[in-house]
Amino acid sequence: VDMEKGVWLIPDAAARKPREVRLTGPALALMRALPRFEGCANLMVNPTTRQPYRSFASSWDTARRKAKLPAVELDELRHGSAGALEGLE
């Protein structure tokens, strides 16, 4: 992530060059607010291990259990939110 230019370069092996994603002001503000750890170049890391997260499946399962919604999947939330926002401007 290039915070100064507001760009996230995502590696793309098929295209052989990174895909460029422009970041919004709020996205950049959120990234700047994340805790940083000395000697760690990654943006989001486990604060205990200082290693990047590989998955958040365990956290998602815990959240579903606590919310008493064991069958809810992330895609359902994404599609539901998109439907709720349709037509809003």
Side-chain angles (χ1 to χ4, degrees), residues 1-37:
V1 175
D2 184 331
M3 301 291 271
E4 296 302 315
K5 292 181 181 176
V7 175
W8 180 14
L9 298 174
I10 303 171
D12 185 344
R16 296 185 186 208
K17 68 175 187 173
R19 184 169 69 107
E20 186 176 292
V21 176
R22 297 261 174 225
L23 299 168
T24 64
L28 288 166
L30 179 71
M31 290 177 184
R32 286 186 181 106
L34 291 171
R36 302 297 305 194
F37 301 99

Side-chain angles (χ1 to χ4, degrees), residues 16-88:
R16 296 185 186 208
K17 68 175 187 173
R19 184 169 69 107
E20 186 176 292
V21 176
R22 297 261 174 225
L23 299 168
T24 64
L28 288 166
L30 179 71
M31 290 177 184
R32 286 186 181 106
L34 291 171
R36 302 297 305 194
F37 301 99
E38 188 175 332
C40 183
N42 294 302
L43 187 61
M44 294 179 65
V45 296
N46 180 313
T48 303
T49 66
R50 307 291 199 263
Q51 296 297 310
Y53 291 103
R54 295 182 185 264
S55 168
F56 63 89
S58 178
S59 297
W60 177 243
D61 288 340
T62 300
R64 291 189 306 181
R65 237 185 352 269
K66 286 185 176 185
K68 297 182 179 162
L69 299 169
V72 174
E73 297 295 335
L74 284 175
D75 274 350
E76 294 171 23
L77 297 177
R78 185 173 57 91
H79 293 299
S81 297
L85 295 174
E86 238 174 54
L88 295 179

